[in-house]
Amino acid sequence: MTTISVFRKADGTLMGFASKGHSGYAEAGEDIVCAGISAITQTFLNGIVHILQAPAESRIDEEGTQLTVRLLEPIAEDKMPGAQLLLRTFVEGVQAMAAGYPRYVRVIFQDWRERKCSS
């Protein structure tokens, strides 16, 4: 199962996510659920870094089974609305995957703790 932990501040501000594990829907190379999650996570990462150019860090583990992306504080006031739009869109996408494939994808929300991706 793939578990996506969305990091959220007490006021509801989204700050990033960690996507961990393989869905197990099908064999490697034929797993449409894993491919869908990968497309959503990579599109978000490209959007936040290359399009919005918001301060963020990312980390992919050595096995390629976990991607963590966190916004870095302080975030310029003009970047926050775009970052929230991208993060809300990301959450909608992964929640749709979880609704369609509940045995293979789970989305949870975690309290935001400011720290490095490697922590």
Side-chain angles (χ1 to χ4, degrees):
M1 174 176 279
T2 299
T3 300
I4 299 149
S5 302
V6 179
F7 309 130
R8 180 173 56 189
K9 287 184 171 183
D11 67 1
T13 302
L14 301 174
M15 296 301 290
F17 68 88
S19 176
K20 183 176 184 177
H22 290 294
S23 73
Y25 180 80
E27 295 291 322
E30 297 182 19
D31 192 328
I32 61 170
V33 175
C34 187
I37 294 296
S38 293
I40 294 168
T41 58
Q42 291 298 319
T43 298
F44 169 78
L45 181 58
N46 286 329
I48 205 79
V49 172
H50 300 293
I51 305 299
L52 187 60
Q53 297 180 345
E57 68 174 354
S58 64
R59 179 178 182 274
I60 298 175
D61 71 346
E62 291 179 16
E63 295 83 32
T65 60
Q66 182 169 347
L67 169 64
T68 303
V69 180
R70 292 176 172 272
L71 296 177
L72 297 174
E73 296 184 285
I75 299 168
E77 194 172 308
D78 66 326
K79 300 286 184 190
M80 189 53 96
Q84 291 307 293
L85 179 62
L86 286 171
L87 278 160
R88 287 195 319 265
T89 302
F90 167 80
V91 169
E92 288 292 321
V94 295
Q95 285 181 325
M97 291 290 296
Y101 300 95
R103 292 179 48 210
Y104 305 98
V105 180
R106 176 173 64 148
V107 178
I108 61 174
F109 289 87
Q110 291 186 334
D111 291 336
W112 167 252
R113 288 177 276 148
E114 190 175 351
R115 62 181 181 195
K116 299 278 185 200
C117 281
S118 59
S119 298

